[in-house]
Amino acid sequence: MTSGRSLGFYLLLAPVLLWLLLLVIIPHIDLALVSLRERVGVGQYAFSFANFLTFLNEPLYLVTFARTAVMSILATFITLIVGFPVAYFIAKMARGKLQPILFVLCLVPFWVSELVRTFGWMILLRETGIISSLLQWLGLVNGPVELLYNDAAIMIGLVYTSMLFMVVPLVTTLSTLDDSLIEAGYDLGGSSASVFREIIVPHAMPGIVSGCIVVFMLSLGNYLTPIMLGGKDSLWFTELIYSQFIVRFNWELGAAFGFMLLFLSTAIVWVALKLTGQSLEKTMG
Amino acid sequence: MIPTIPQNRTMDIAFKVYVTLFFVYLALPLAVNAVFAFNDSQFPSLPWKGFTWNWFFGDAHPMIGVFHERPILRAIGTSIFIGVCVSTLAVIVGTTNAFLFNRYRFKGKEFLYFLMLLPLVIPGILLGVSILVFSSSIANAMWDGFKWDIEALRPGVLLVVLGQFSFIATMATLVISARLKTFDKTLEEAAMNLGADALTAIRTITLPYLFPAMIGAFIVAFLMSFENFNTTFMLVGSDAPLTIAMFDRLKEGSTPLLNAVSLLLMVGSSALALIMIAVQRKK
Amino acid sequence: MATPDLSCIDLTRRFGDALAVDNVSFEVPAGSFFSILGPSGCGKTTIMRMIAGFLEPTSGDILIKGRSVLDVPPNKRPVNMVFQHLALFPMMNIADNIGYGLRRKGLGKAEIEKKVEEALERIGLPGIGKRQVNELSGGQKQRVAIARCMVLEPDVLLLDEPLGALDLKLREQMKIELKSLQHAFDTTFVYITHDQSEALVMSDTIAVMNAGRFEQMAGPEELYHRPETAFVAGFVGDANIFKGEVVRSSGHDVELRTEHGTHIKGVSLLRDIPEGRSAEAYVRPEAIHLSRTADDVAELDNALSGKVEQMLFNGAASRIRIKAEESSETIEVGLPQSGRFDGIRPGQTVNFGWSDKQGNIFETGGKE
């Protein structure tokens, strides 16, 4: 630790400042400025909240906004419920070589593009897909069934695509839980349920929170999965942003949507951190 | 709940069945994806019409394989180019950041660290649009002020690289910092005690120690760049990288060609992941 | 006779081919302090985990207050355990740690609070309930870990080398404190350790364990003075070990000629050793008389003289190493720090000796 202001210090400070200022902070300020202007003539703009008012006054936008939030929270919750036992198994029950093997197996699917994974689910779920064919072959259904293009399909895809980001932090925190703490819990008369509630969950809390935050953000900001697995009516908020920017070329409204998304994610993450008494640095760093 | 606690046998079996099902769920989409790359049919769906290599090596319509499909090959090339640029930048900045945050105490350090983490929690699509908006603001200002038309600031490869770098740099910083934190600073002092100056000590002792983490960060960054969609989608120009090219194809309808590309991606990613594990092991 | 608090009958545990605990039986009377002493890997932890219920015995039975507990899961057994690293729950404060077991029993809030405060007073740490685990010192944590078990009023308290993590000074202090806590709670303690001094200071009965079996079970003094096997003689306390051949044997009295030619008279308490067999004599350095004159030691069964080779100063445990005159055998002898031997220096000739009762002789290679 040096506290001197040497040349080296400024050389190390420069890249991080350039990166954060030019690629993150100033662009977002610019985006904020764009969202707060209104086109009043050709090439002429005025300061206004019109874009945010448009957002608030159009039910389709609001409904999509709320739907995206609720579905993302639900996806986060399901991912936690599905992933926790697996993380627990890998961290505490798997013995010897099995443990690293299972852990790597968990990671493997996520080194491939999300597009590939989503495509895989399309092959499985669509009307001519594997599961439909399997159900017909088993005689459970008479004709082809369409399992794609609905909210359940979106949910399957979201949970699948975020699983890694839940399992890894959970395994990491759970494997630091000393077995003797669990044994002590039993020895003092605890049951599986009470040991789980009072010892395992509190210990895993940082991992749970960090997993949930990442999964929530990924679901909220996801574009591919809802577009490809969802139906015609199942809009996702990122689709609105995209269409304003690329299709309608209404950057002002798109920027306003972007800020609503940012606001939503920040608010929910902030509430989650406050409720659980964790901090962003602690859970992410 | 742990092996030493006597457990009901049914519970135990149920738990194992659940974990097995979980891994089946993980493997299923990838497995079907891979299998249909070899289906001798126009569509990646049942019925199975026999095995073929045509979706890889075929050169006649309607079964043109990956290796004869120029747009796909070009998209792969673009993706690799972008990936290498992003990873190189990310590893350099990640390394300087690791030294900055580990070795210096300065005012506002905590705040800067917090800012540094933000790109991980900002939705990718927003990083994309904000850079899009900002770069076009600059481009417009350049045109209005000096009548310069800076093509590079329009959607295209440069913006994609910058957009991906904006959050991948955080990842690289975390990976390299974690390794630097475990470095025993007395080794550097020992080197200086034996006659090295500060920079030589870092170059001969600290950087070699960080090397596995830098390789790891490079590979992670490359894979993240290669598979990125959300940020790239907002910034892409006429030179589409592979994920965007595949997405455009998929919207038109799927053919086993896409399965073949997917399989190649899986093989490539796994190979990189294995290299990374091997490198990390050696430390 | 009252039912013992704990009895183990023919307890055996295998791990694959390895026999960790080999047919061990013992009883621990109510209110006593029982230690299992042995080197690491001897199977003592396995016994403890079987009693706690974290391991199933391969065969044999465990009775607590006369009732078999083999079918009772660990969370229902009337035994509690102080873990090696204490296993205090870092996610709870001290009061919640101590109250954990009481909450599992479904006691009311007020009652739990009262019992926790009582327990804290008993261990001499009143009012620390609101503190976090990591704010406590090593010795305080120790006491909290014991209190956490004792509020449940277990029939038997198991302690798994709980002093191992403490530094030397604190460990000495905690030995005495543990003993008095055991008196205060009047509960049966089963204590496992590899540290002979912990076992000797605290225990009513010590079982010395080696390779899955109990070598000897006795009170501390008997164990020290009358070890039944060579392992016990070597493991409990220090000893000069003389290897040699039995040249004379009548009843308990045995005479050994060492490889260097010294004749050593000793006793073999449990069995006769025929002449001609090879054997080892164990003589504790502190049991050997030291003198400047030959007369002082002349009437002892073993009387020798030799040159001081080396001084090994170590406070109360100081010794000198002497090379015996005739045989050039090297022998360590306790050096009392009473002032009598202050002038002794390497190179001087001294006389020393011990009575045959102090030399325990065991046949080697034979069955022990």
Side-chain angles (χ1 to χ4, degrees):
Chain A
M1 285 285 181
T2 340
S3 54
R5 292 287 165 265
S6 58
L7 177 67
F9 171 72
Y10 290 107
L11 281 177
L12 291 175
L13 191 62
V16 69
L17 287 183
L18 280 177
W19 159 38
L20 292 175
L21 284 175
L22 289 181
L23 294 178
V24 182
I25 296 166
I26 297 177
H28 277 86
I29 293 172
D30 199 28
L31 191 70
L33 293 176
V34 170
S35 76
L36 288 171
R37 73 186 191 189
E38 189 185 4
R39 194 199 297 254
V40 289
V42 178
Q44 295 217 303
Y45 299 95
F47 178 85
S48 127
F49 286 104
N51 300 310
F52 289 95
L53 289 176
T54 310
F55 169 76
L56 292 174
N57 290 326
E58 170 59 59
L60 175 71
Y61 298 156
L62 277 179
V63 166
T64 307
F65 187 68
R67 211 181 92 84
T68 308
V70 170
M71 294 263 295
S72 298
I73 293 173
L74 190 60
T76 307
F77 194 67
I78 296 175
T79 312
L80 176 63
I81 302 295
V82 171
F84 197 95
V86 178
Y88 190 84
F89 186 87
I90 293 174
K92 294 272 98 177
M93 316 254 313
R95 287 267 178 101
K97 275 224 165 88
L98 188 62
Q99 185 170 26
I101 289 175
L102 288 183
F103 192 61
V104 168
L105 276 183
C106 264
L107 304 186
V108 164
F110 302 93
W111 290 125
V112 237
S113 164
E114 189 185 348
L115 193 83
V116 173
R117 291 175 247 151
T118 314
F119 182 37
W121 280 112
M122 290 174 73
I123 298 175
L124 281 166
L125 293 177
R126 65 179 159 205
E127 211 174 348
T128 56
I130 310 292
I131 294 179
S132 169
S133 307
L134 188 71
L135 290 176
Q136 290 176 67
W137 182 75
L138 287 173
L140 292 173
V141 290
N142 294 323
V145 275
E146 181 63 275
L147 299 166
L148 205 56
Y149 311 124
N150 57 50
D151 285 355
I154 296 184
M155 206 48 86
I156 290 177
L158 285 179
V159 169
Y160 184 84
T161 228
S162 328
M163 190 51 78
L164 162 84
F165 303 94
M166 186 64 84
V167 170
V168 169
L170 285 179
V171 169
T172 313
T173 47
L174 282 173
S175 56
T176 62
L177 174 62
D178 193 343
D179 278 1
S180 70
L181 287 183
I182 300 176
E183 288 178 355
Y186 275 88
D187 186 65
L188 296 168
S191 60
S192 295
S194 74
V195 168
F196 180 76
R197 197 178 60 241
E198 293 205 31
I199 296 167
I200 298 174
V201 170
H203 179 89
M205 214 42 174
I208 293 176
V209 172
S210 110
C212 284
I213 288 177
V214 174
V215 169
F216 175 74
M217 305 301 297
L218 286 175
S219 301
L220 202 62
N222 203 318
Y223 178 84
L224 265 179
T225 304
I227 288 274
M228 312 223 336
L229 302 182
K232 289 276 172 278
D233 315 317
S234 43
L235 268 176
W236 206 254
F237 200 66
T238 46
E239 279 178 81
L240 295 186
I241 299 177
Y242 178 78
S243 71
Q244 292 304 330
F245 268 93
I246 308 295
V247 184
R248 309 257 176 90
F249 221 67
N250 187 349
W251 285 20
E252 289 73 24
L253 189 57
F257 284 178
F259 267 90
M260 290 316 296
L261 187 69
L262 200 58
F263 166 76
L264 177 66
S265 57
T266 317
I268 291 184
V269 168
W270 188 79
V271 168
L273 288 174
K274 280 284 160 273
L275 280 181
T276 52
Q278 307 285 327
S279 78
L280 189 65
E281 285 88 341
K282 223 164 70 190
T283 49
M284 297 290 146
Chain B
M1 305 245 282
I2 50 173
T4 54
I5 309 284
Q7 183 87 34
N8 182 330
R9 235 185 115 66
T10 346
M11 278 291 291
D12 199 45
I13 291 171
F15 200 5
K16 282 182 181 144
V17 168
Y18 175 81
V19 173
T20 315
L21 283 178
F22 174 84
F23 281 99
V24 170
Y25 167 72
L26 280 195
L28 208 53
L30 301 183
V32 294
N33 215 330
V35 167
F36 280 103
F38 302 101
N39 192 9
D40 195 358
S41 151
Q42 284 294 310
F43 306 102
S45 59
L46 291 173
W48 183 257
K49 292 198 176 162
F51 181 89
T52 179
W53 279 105
N54 276 348
W55 295 112
F56 291 89
F57 303 107
D59 55 0
H61 200 75
M63 287 172 96
I64 297 176
V66 186
F67 297 112
H68 293 280
E69 182 74 16
R70 289 194 174 277
I72 291 287
L73 291 178
R74 197 173 325 118
I76 292 176
T78 310
S79 276
I80 292 175
F81 176 74
I82 292 172
V84 169
C85 291
V86 170
S87 311
T88 310
L89 278 174
V91 168
I92 293 171
V93 174
T95 309
T96 61
N97 286 351
F99 276 98
L100 180 70
F101 287 114
N102 272 302
R103 294 290 172 87
Y104 290 90
R105 227 195 279 274
F106 53 92
K107 220 175 148 187
K109 179 177 162 179
E110 275 72 35
F111 182 66
L112 192 65
Y113 192 75
F114 173 79
L115 283 182
M116 195 274 301
L117 289 176
L118 276 187
L120 274 192
V121 292
I122 296 174
I125 192 167
L126 271 185
L127 288 171
V129 294
S130 64
I131 289 172
L132 175 70
V133 168
F134 181 53
S135 67
S136 87
S137 295
I138 298 176
N140 290 342
M142 289 296 172
W143 177 249
D144 292 345
F146 311 99
K147 295 290 169 225
W148 290 344
D149 186 12
I150 305 175
E151 189 54 39
L153 289 177
R154 304 294 175 192
V157 171
L158 177 71
L159 287 196
V160 171
V161 168
L162 291 177
Q164 293 185 352
F165 167 78
S166 71
F167 68 95
I168 292 176
T170 303
M171 207 66 211
T173 304
L174 291 179
V175 171
I176 299 171
S177 284
R179 177 95 173 141
L180 188 58
K181 258 181 215 150
T182 65
F183 178 74
D184 178 5
K185 189 114 196 304
T186 57
L187 293 180
E188 253 175 47
E189 287 163 2
M192 287 195 261
N193 184 264
L194 295 169
D197 60 52
L199 272 184
T200 313
I202 287 176
R203 186 171 53 79
T204 54
I205 307 293
T206 320
L207 285 184
Y209 180 82
L210 284 184
F211 195 63
M214 287 161 80
I215 296 281
F218 189 93
I219 292 175
V220 170
F222 186 82
L223 289 170
M224 281 177 87
S225 158
F226 211 91
E227 73 149 336
N228 181 265
F229 184 87
N230 290 351
T231 307
T232 312
F233 195 43
M234 303 307 291
L235 296 170
V236 73
S238 51
D239 266 341
L242 187 62
T243 38
I244 307 293
M246 281 178 74
F247 178 68
D248 290 338
R249 292 264 175 144
L250 203 52
K251 278 195 299 195
E252 292 160 15
S254 51
T255 72
L257 174 73
L258 293 176
N259 295 76
V261 178
S262 300
L263 182 57
L264 289 180
L265 277 179
M266 287 181 224
V267 171
S269 308
S270 311
L272 279 179
L274 283 180
I275 291 174
M276 188 168 74
I277 291 172
V279 170
Q280 309 287 316
R281 266 241 177 109
K282 269 205 288 189
K283 71 186 176 184
Chain C
M1 201 179 126
T3 338
D5 266 1
L6 170 70
S7 48
C8 293
I9 301 162
D10 298 335
L11 205 54
T12 299
R13 169 75 204 197
R14 288 174 182 282
F15 293 106
D17 285 340
L19 197 56
V21 174
D22 182 6
N23 215 22
V24 166
S25 300
F26 62 94
E27 289 186 347
V28 182
S32 71
F33 197 122
F34 183 85
S35 291
I36 301 176
L37 171 67
S40 60
C42 71
K44 57 189 193 299
T45 304
T46 309
I47 291 189
M48 177 143 296
R49 293 177 68 81
M50 286 194 285
I51 300 171
F54 297 125
L55 268 178
E56 248 177 84
T58 308
S59 64
D61 201 356
I62 299 167
L63 307 168
I64 290 169
K65 287 231 191 285
R67 295 233 315 274
S68 172
V69 292
L70 285 191
D71 295 331
V72 184
N75 51 348
K76 301 275 187 279
R77 286 197 191 184
V79 293
N80 292 116
M81 182 156 168
V82 176
F83 286 76
Q84 188 163 15
H85 301 290
L86 305 182
L88 293 175
F89 304 130
M91 57 290 274
M92 301 174 197
N93 65 22
I94 299 305
D96 288 344
N97 258 288
I98 298 178
Y100 181 89
L102 298 172
R103 289 201 295 283
R104 299 288 81 76
K105 284 186 168 174
L107 265 60
K109 239 182 148 193
E111 200 181 350
I112 293 177
E113 219 166 284
K114 202 179 109 231
K115 287 201 170 198
V116 168
E117 202 39 57
E118 272 173 21
L120 283 173
E121 250 161 59
R122 215 140 174 202
I123 56 169
L125 298 169
I128 64 156
K130 289 278 168 290
R131 293 221 216 138
Q132 292 302 311
V133 172
N134 56 17
E135 294 170 35
L136 265 52
S137 72
Q140 289 172 327
K141 282 183 194 166
Q142 197 80 54
R143 285 183 265 173
V144 169
I146 291 169
R148 184 174 74 172
C149 294
M150 295 317 297
V151 288
L152 298 176
E153 293 160 13
D155 291 334
V156 176
L157 183 70
L158 306 172
L159 300 102
D160 182 4
E161 304 207 35
L163 303 187
L166 302 181
D167 58 47
L168 190 71
K169 199 92 188 171
L170 194 53
R171 199 149 67 208
E172 294 302 316
Q173 205 180 318
M174 280 308 295
K175 277 184 209 167
I176 299 160
E177 208 163 297
L178 263 180
K179 181 75 187 159
S180 52
L181 277 174
Q182 190 246 341
H183 269 296
F185 286 113
D186 192 28
T187 301
T188 309
F189 277 32
V190 174
Y191 187 96
I192 72 170
T193 181
H194 64 272
D195 182 315
Q196 41 128 340
S197 127
E198 285 175 20
L200 291 174
V201 170
M202 294 188 283
S203 315
D204 298 317
T205 309
I206 301 171
V208 179
M209 196 171 179
N210 181 36
R213 298 173 142 270
F214 278 3
E215 295 264 340
Q216 184 176 2
M217 198 156 46
E221 282 171 51
E222 192 182 340
L223 212 55
Y224 179 83
H225 290 297
R226 284 183 294 283
E228 286 177 3
T229 69
F231 178 82
V232 176
F235 194 77
V236 179
D238 278 343
N240 288 291
I241 303 172
F242 304 98
K243 289 185 200 312
E245 188 185 308
V246 174
V247 290
R248 197 178 57 79
S249 174
S250 76
H252 289 331
D253 298 327
V254 178
E255 189 173 332
L256 189 78
R257 193 181 62 231
T258 70
E259 291 155 348
H260 293 280
T262 323
H263 281 255
I264 288 175
K265 295 194 188 98
V267 289
S268 172
L269 290 173
L270 289 189
R271 47 187 73 82
D272 300 334
I273 310 174
E275 287 167 19
R277 296 286 176 86
S278 54
E280 283 174 343
Y282 286 73
V283 183
R284 302 197 184 285
E286 58 270 31
I288 301 178
H289 277 282
L290 187 65
S291 174
R292 293 179 197 271
T293 60
D295 295 349
D296 278 351
V297 295
E299 76 273 20
L300 291 170
D301 303 298
N302 299 283
L304 298 162
S305 66
K307 247 196 189 86
V308 177
E309 262 200 337
Q310 217 178 355
M311 313 281 297
L312 306 166
F313 185 78
N314 181 18
S318 297
R319 292 178 193 163
I320 50 177
R321 186 172 287 175
I322 305 171
K323 192 165 236 172
E325 212 142 57
E326 293 135 34
S327 59
S328 75
E329 188 112 39
T330 308
I331 300 161
E332 275 185 25
V333 177
L335 184 66
Q337 297 296 305
S338 57
R340 251 182 83 201
F341 299 105
D342 277 0
I344 287 194
R345 289 289 171 268
Q348 295 178 355
T349 302
V350 291
N351 299 285
F352 58 100
W354 64 93
S355 91
D356 60 0
K357 301 273 179 301
Q358 306 291 349
N360 288 292
I361 296 184
F362 304 98
E363 190 177 349
T364 49
K367 207 174 152 290
E368 281 174 348

